[in-house]
């Protein structure tokens, strides 16, 4: 994802109001999430508004500057002109120079790539030009050949000259005048290894992670059917059946005679990563999708440590010691593959796990639900006879308003709920007026504000896909928007402005530093996953830019929101609830500009960081919050927390030794084996600190 610098109202009007939509709907040019690219010769074919917008930059350019492509930036009022001197002659020309023009100041920014050892290169050249371009058909044919060989898959790693050459070498191909060819040097034929796919099947003692997540997400409802495509030993089938659902499965090795049948929920769990044949892998994904009536679960391996040790490279994956094949996807690569094959916008549930909905409105309802924060029903403060007499009738209404932040329409309540209410009060609105009389109106308003913020986060994140029209949303979400905003357009505008402000790191830092939730660190805000929903909506949106596309790691404990650079890090502290100062086990760092994921494991033998003052990351309603806070107060009083925003395990143990203290559960105690004089001195220092604190 590109960064989003803050823009003034004067800057915003420099571009056509529907610039992004015009670019996205253009039949010519290449549209990426943050910009639109087109060949200089194709400008005359574009919409007049785009031509006029580009013409604003021309006066700032010198006539002798060579130009090849024009880049329309979506987030800022500026254009870039890119020079590829060998565009027509070379199949994948390298970038020679770029000139960026600010339409606000007229300032030029020139960057020379001619001496860069690994410059960016172009792919799919036909997308930049019009069909009447002289070599258009040559470009089209080359792209067709490359797609057939899978050369353009996972495009992030082939964007530079070295990455592209490595891809060609991997496939043992060369390019000769816009056509693929094999090298002339004869090579010994390599026998195709025998892959034993069935050995990859795992005997599980519980539900697999993908199916468990689907259950926890509420995808299984009454009377739903389940089919496991590639069910292996059938563990998920039997366990889902035990929960009362109709469950069936098929596997080419273990259950080849079972019929493949339609089902509401189809699971394709860790199947596509064990199929070595690219065409067969694609066919498996398509076949499972054809069986899906409501939602498909797709899972594949993504997190692997040292995956090359003792393994043999084959096709686009590896052959393991057990003679099975494994394709280890990067998370964004897996989503791109699912979306491309099925023509969908898959929703990440966790690393390597995606939900694909058959009905787009159900998909959007699910997306919206993921960004709905919890709310507590306002407490009844007054005793009113009419309310007490009708409390049972009013309870479903109160539950609904707490959940949605608005009064339900007549068709949103069950008949057995609606009819008694209207009979007793005349209308749903009058019934809720009775509730308002015995509760605090401000608390209901706060719930409505919370739900309005939830929708803004959801709508802002929908900017990265194809934002649905209002009519494409589920009826309940449509009613939410109508009740909480003046219009859908107004809601989308507010959401986009909030998204735009994420590029202002100063603003982001201000929100982090003023947050009442989370632990303040020198360059970031740390928040426990359970408290994420209590953050300011801008900070929730910041984290959502990652989790919407990649999903959160299931094991994640803490989210680190960096405000000195656009970066989110998920931290895993396995013993967070049970150990006073848990050790960091794993981190997953994601840069928002490229969504590149970087993992790091922390070995306990290598002095890993530990977590202090756990309660600062939590909200007060978290279990054992008071116990955590009590320990931190004691550690503060005894001076062992001084200057310790970040500390490693060895440094912490050394600090405890220096202070003559040790931890006994969730309390500090004096060490009995400490030097008597030093111990006496430390105790005296603690008493002095406590006197100063009491005087304050």
């Amino acid at each position: 994802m590109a960064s989003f610098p803050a823009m003034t109202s004067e800057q915003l009007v420099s571009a056509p109001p529907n610039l992004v939509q015009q670019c996205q709907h253009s039949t010519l040019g290449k549209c990426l999430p943050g910009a639109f690219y087109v060949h200089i010769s194709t400008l005359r074919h574009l919409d007049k508004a785009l031509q006029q917008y580009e013409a604003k930059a021309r006066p700032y350019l010198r006539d002798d500057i060579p130009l090849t492509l024009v880049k329309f930036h979506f987030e800022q009022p500026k254009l870039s002109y890119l020079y590829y001197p060998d565009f027509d002659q070379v199949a994948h020309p390298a970038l020679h120079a770029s000139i960026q023009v600010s339409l606000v100041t007229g300032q030029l920014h020139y960057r020379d790539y001619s001496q860069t050892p690994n410059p960016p290169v172009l792919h799919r050249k036909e997308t930049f030009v019009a069909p009447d371009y002289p070599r258009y058909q040559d470009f089209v044919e080359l792209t067709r050949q490359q797609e057939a060989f899978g050369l353009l898959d996972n495009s992030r790693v082939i964007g530079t000259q070295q990455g592209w050459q490595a891809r060609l070498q991997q496939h043992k191909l060369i390019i000769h005048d816009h056509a693929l060819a094999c090298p002339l040097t004869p090579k010994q034929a390599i026998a195709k290894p025998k892959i034993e796919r069935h050995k990859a099947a795992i005997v599980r003692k519980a539900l697999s992670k993908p199916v468990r997540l689907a259950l926890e997400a509420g995808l299984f409802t009454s009377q739903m059917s389940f089919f496991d495509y590639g069910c292996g030993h059938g563990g998920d089938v039997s366990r889902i059946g035990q929960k009362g659902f109709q469950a069936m499965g098929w596997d080419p090795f273990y259950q080849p005679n079972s019929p493949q049948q339609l089902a509401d929920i189809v699971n394709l769990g860790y199947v596509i990563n064990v199929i070595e044949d690219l065409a067969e892998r694609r066919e498996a994904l398509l076949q499972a999708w054809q069986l899906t009536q409501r939602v498909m679960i797709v899972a594949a391996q993504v997190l692997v440590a040292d995956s090359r040790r003792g393994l043999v490279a084959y096709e686009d994956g590896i052959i393991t010691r057990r003679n099975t094949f494994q394709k280890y996807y990067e998370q964004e690569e897996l989503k791109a593959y699912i979306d491309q094959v099925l023509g969908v916008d898959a929703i990440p549930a966790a690393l390597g796990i995606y939900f694909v909905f058959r009905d787009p409105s159900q998909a959007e309802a699910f997306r919206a639900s993921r960004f709905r924060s919890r709310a507590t029903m306002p407490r009844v403060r007054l005793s009113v006879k009419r309310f007490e007499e009708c409390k049972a009738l009013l309870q479903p209404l109160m539950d609904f308003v707490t959940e949605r932040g608005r009064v339900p329409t007549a068709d949103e309540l069950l008949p057995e709920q609606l009819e008694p209410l209207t009979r007793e009060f005349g209308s749903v609105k009058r019934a809720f007026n009775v509730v308002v009389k015995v509760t605090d109106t401000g608390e209901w308003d706060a719930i409505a504000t919370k739900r309005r913020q939830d929708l803004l986060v959801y709508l802002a994140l929908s900017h990265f896909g194809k934002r649905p029209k209002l009519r494409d949303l589920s009826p309940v979400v449509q009613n939410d928007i109508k009740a909480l905003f003046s219009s859908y357009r107004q809601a989308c505008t507010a959401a986009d402005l909030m998204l735009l402000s994420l590029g202002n790191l100063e603003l982001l830092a201000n929100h982090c530093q003023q947050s009442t939730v989370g632990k303040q660190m020198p360059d970031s805000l740390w928040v426990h996953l359970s408290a994420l929903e209590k953050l300011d909506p801008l900070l929730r949106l910041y984290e959502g830019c990652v989790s919407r596309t990649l999903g959160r790691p299931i094991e994640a404990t803490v989210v680190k929101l960096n405000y000195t650079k656009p970066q989110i890090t998920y931290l895993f502290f396995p013993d967070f609830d049970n150990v006073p100062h848990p050790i960091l086990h794993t981190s997953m760092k994601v840069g928002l500009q490229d969504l590149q994921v970087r993992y790091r494991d922390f070995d306990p033998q290598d002095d890993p960081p530990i977590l202090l003052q756990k309660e600062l990351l939590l909200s007060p309603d978290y279990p054992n919050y008071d116990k955590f806070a009590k320990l931190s107060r004691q550690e503060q009083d005894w001076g062992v927390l001084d200057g310790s925003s970040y500390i490693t395990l060895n440094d912490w143990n050394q600090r405890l030794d220096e202070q003559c203290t040790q931890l006994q559960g969730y309390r500090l105690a004096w060490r009995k084996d400490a030097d008597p004089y030093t111990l006496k001195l430390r105790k005296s220092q603690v008493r002095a600190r406590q006197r100063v604190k009491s005087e304050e």
Side-chain angles (χ1 to χ4, degrees):
M1 187 195 77
S3 58
F4 294 91
M7 297 165 64
T8 65
S9 57
E10 180 182 346
Q11 291 173 317
L12 284 169
V13 299
S14 298
N18 57 346
L19 170 67
V20 177
Q21 289 78 7
Q22 287 178 335
C23 293
Q24 289 175 338
H25 293 118
S26 176
T27 57
L28 300 173
K30 188 172 186 177
C31 194
L32 297 178
F36 174 68
Y37 298 78
V38 67
H39 193 271
I40 200 76
S41 67
T42 312
L43 286 171
R44 58 191 174 88
H45 297 288
L46 297 182
D47 184 277
K48 289 294 183 185
L50 294 178
Q51 294 185 43
Q52 293 170 0
Y53 182 53
E54 187 274 335
K56 295 180 182 179
R58 287 303 182 100
Y60 303 114
L61 298 175
R62 294 204 321 262
D63 294 336
D64 59 342
I65 295 178
L67 310 173
T68 309
L69 300 184
V70 183
K71 175 182 178 181
F72 292 77
H73 295 261
F74 292 161
E75 291 82 31
Q76 293 182 348
K78 63 184 182 183
L79 285 89
S80 293
Y81 294 87
L82 312 177
Y83 177 43
Y84 294 85
D86 302 313
F87 182 85
D88 291 328
Q89 293 77 28
V90 177
H92 298 279
L95 179 62
H96 190 278
S98 73
I99 304 169
Q100 190 179 98
V101 183
S102 169
L103 295 178
V104 177
T105 64
Q107 186 175 7
L108 300 182
H109 177 71
Y110 179 82
R111 184 172 179 182
D112 187 356
Y113 291 85
S114 61
Q115 303 303 316
T116 302
N118 188 28
V121 295
L122 283 183
H123 301 282
R124 304 179 187 272
K125 291 196 296 183
E126 74 281 357
T127 60
F128 302 105
V129 299
D132 60 358
Y133 194 78
R135 301 208 65 177
Y136 176 81
Q137 289 302 328
D138 293 337
F139 300 165
V140 170
E141 179 60 20
L142 175 61
T143 297
R144 186 195 66 78
Q145 293 177 10
Q146 292 174 343
E147 287 178 337
F149 279 90
L151 293 175
L152 302 181
D153 294 347
N154 191 16
S155 59
R156 183 178 60 80
V157 301
I158 59 171
T160 62
Q161 198 169 62
Q162 293 177 6
W164 174 238
Q165 289 301 322
R167 175 66 59 84
L168 289 175
Q169 291 172 12
Q170 177 188 355
H171 286 74
K172 301 176 177 60
L173 293 169
I174 61 174
I175 298 177
H176 177 69
D177 191 24
H178 288 79
L180 287 180
C182 295
L184 294 176
T185 305
K187 293 184 181 288
Q188 183 178 359
I190 301 175
K192 184 176 181 180
K194 181 181 179 181
I195 306 297
E196 299 178 280
R197 297 178 189 167
H198 64 282
K199 289 186 178 180
I202 299 173
V203 178
R204 304 181 189 277
K205 297 181 179 180
L207 281 173
S208 66
K209 185 185 296 183
V211 177
R212 175 171 58 83
L213 285 177
L215 269 171
E216 294 172 352
L219 299 185
F220 284 83
T221 57
S222 179
Q223 306 301 314
M224 294 272 273
S225 58
F226 171 78
F227 184 79
D228 198 349
Y229 188 97
C231 61
H233 298 282
D236 282 339
V237 174
S238 61
R239 292 182 179 90
I240 288 296
Q242 291 168 8
K243 294 182 179 294
F245 299 98
Q246 177 189 345
M248 294 288 291
W250 170 85
D251 189 271
F253 184 85
Y254 294 100
Q255 298 189 40
N257 297 322
S258 297
Q260 296 184 15
Q261 59 188 40
L262 297 173
D264 295 313
I265 298 178
V266 173
N267 179 44
L268 189 68
Y270 305 109
V271 171
I272 60 175
N273 53 280
V274 301
I275 301 176
E276 73 282 1
D277 185 90
L278 275 66
E280 191 176 345
R281 187 189 307 165
R282 179 186 180 93
E283 181 60 29
L285 183 57
L286 288 169
Q287 179 61 23
W289 181 236
Q290 289 175 4
L291 299 174
T292 304
Q293 294 183 308
R294 295 197 181 186
V295 60
M296 179 168 68
I297 310 164
V298 182
Q301 295 285 357
V302 293
L303 255 178
V304 179
D306 198 13
S307 63
R308 293 288 178 181
R309 183 179 298 169
L311 306 175
V312 179
Y314 180 70
E315 295 293 345
D316 62 345
I318 56 173
I319 300 175
T320 70
R321 293 188 184 94
R322 301 177 64 205
N323 212 31
T324 64
F325 175 84
Q326 285 290 347
K327 159 69 174 172
Y328 291 108
Y329 288 90
E330 294 188 21
Q331 180 78 350
E332 62 269 35
E333 176 193 6
L334 178 57
K335 174 173 169 56
Y337 180 70
I338 298 170
D339 291 355
Q340 178 186 10
V341 173
L342 302 182
V344 297
D345 186 10
I347 300 175
L351 288 180
I353 302 172
Y354 283 89
F355 297 154
V356 187
F357 286 82
R358 179 66 72 179
D359 183 348
S361 67
Q362 291 182 358
E364 293 307 322
F366 179 76
R367 287 189 194 279
S369 70
R370 298 177 71 207
F371 298 101
R372 188 178 305 118
S373 54
R374 290 172 294 176
T376 303
M377 184 182 298
R379 184 168 55 89
V380 176
R381 299 178 180 276
L382 299 175
S383 178
V384 175
K385 182 178 179 181
R386 186 158 171 74
F387 175 81
E388 297 297 334
E389 292 175 345
C390 302
K391 188 173 182 180
L393 289 178
L394 293 168
Q395 190 62 49
L397 175 60
M398 297 167 67
D399 292 339
F400 186 96
V401 179
T402 302
E403 175 67 15
R404 311 304 307 187
R406 61 175 176 82
V407 175
T409 61
D411 58 354
E412 289 179 316
L413 293 176
L414 297 173
E416 58 267 29
Q417 298 170 339
L418 178 64
E419 291 171 5
L421 273 181
T422 53
R423 187 167 55 248
E424 180 68 30
F425 299 100
S427 69
V428 175
K429 187 175 181 180
R430 289 179 180 176
F432 188 65
N433 287 338
V434 174
V435 174
V436 171
K437 289 179 181 178
V438 300
T439 54
D440 187 341
T441 305
E443 292 183 22
W444 292 111
D445 291 341
I447 291 174
T449 299
K450 185 188 289 284
R451 296 295 172 243
R452 193 175 292 111
Q453 292 172 347
D454 293 343
L455 282 170
L456 284 176
V457 174
Y458 157 67
L459 290 173
L461 293 173
S462 72
H463 177 92
F464 296 111
K466 183 179 179 182
R467 176 174 285 162
K469 293 180 170 55
L470 181 62
R471 65 174 179 270
D472 296 329
L473 299 174
S474 65
V476 69
V477 177
Q478 288 187 44
N479 290 335
D480 289 344
I481 292 171
K482 291 174 183 176
L484 298 172
F485 295 93
S486 60
S487 67
Y488 185 48
R489 182 176 181 180
Q490 184 257 344
C492 291
T493 300
D496 288 343
L497 289 175
M498 185 167 70
L499 182 64
L500 203 62
S501 66
L502 278 184
N504 187 336
L505 289 178
E506 184 178 345
L507 176 65
L508 199 61
N510 186 52
H511 279 260
C512 286
Q513 292 163 357
Q514 294 188 9
S515 176
T516 58
V517 180
K519 183 176 182 179
Q520 301 290 341
M521 301 293 271
D523 63 349
S524 56
L525 178 70
W526 293 31
V527 183
H528 190 272
L529 213 62
S530 66
L532 198 60
E533 64 178 30
K534 298 182 184 298
L535 288 176
D536 176 276
L538 183 69
L539 301 183
R540 291 173 59 199
L541 175 60
Y542 185 31
E543 187 275 338
C545 289
V546 171
S547 62
R548 181 197 184 277
T549 304
L550 303 182
R552 297 181 191 127
I554 295 176
E555 300 83 2
T557 315
V558 174
V559 182
K560 175 183 175 182
L561 293 86
N562 196 303
Y563 51 74
T564 60
K565 52 187 172 183
Q567 180 175 285
I568 298 292
T569 305
Y570 297 96
L571 308 172
F572 176 35
F573 294 91
D575 299 311
F576 182 89
D577 291 315
N578 305 318
V579 177
H581 301 299
I583 295 173
L584 179 60
H585 182 276
T586 308
S587 72
M588 179 182 121
K589 185 183 300 181
V590 185
L592 270 75
Q593 291 180 320
D594 57 7
L595 287 181
Q596 185 174 356
V597 180
R598 299 171 181 85
Y599 303 100
R600 182 181 177 186
D601 291 329
F602 294 83
D603 192 316
Q605 305 301 319
D606 294 334
D607 194 20
I610 67 170
L611 196 57
L612 305 180
Q613 296 178 290
K614 293 192 297 186
E615 75 283 352
L616 296 182
L617 288 83
L618 304 165
S619 57
D621 57 356
Y622 189 85
N624 291 322
Y625 174 90
D626 292 335
K627 182 169 73 172
F628 301 162
K630 183 178 180 181
L631 172 62
S632 294
R633 286 194 297 270
Q634 185 189 16
E635 290 176 336
Q636 187 73 54
D637 289 345
W638 286 29
V640 296
L641 288 184
D642 293 352
S644 56
S645 60
Y646 182 90
I647 193 169
T648 64
L649 179 61
N650 290 345
D651 288 343
W652 174 249
N653 289 332
Q654 181 180 351
R655 180 176 298 182
L656 291 179
D657 289 343
E658 291 172 351
Q659 296 292 334
C660 302
T661 59
Q662 62 183 2
L663 277 168
Q664 295 181 349
Y666 275 84
R667 73 178 186 87
L668 278 178
W670 296 110
R671 291 175 58 103
K672 295 181 180 180
D673 59 349
D675 175 72
Y677 176 77
T678 305
L679 179 60
K680 181 178 180 180
L681 179 63
R682 297 302 183 211
K683 288 182 177 181
S684 175
Q685 291 172 341
V686 169
R687 288 192 295 269
R689 291 172 68 100
Q690 292 173 340
R691 282 196 302 271
V692 171
K693 184 177 179 180
S694 63
E695 292 172 359
E696 293 176 349

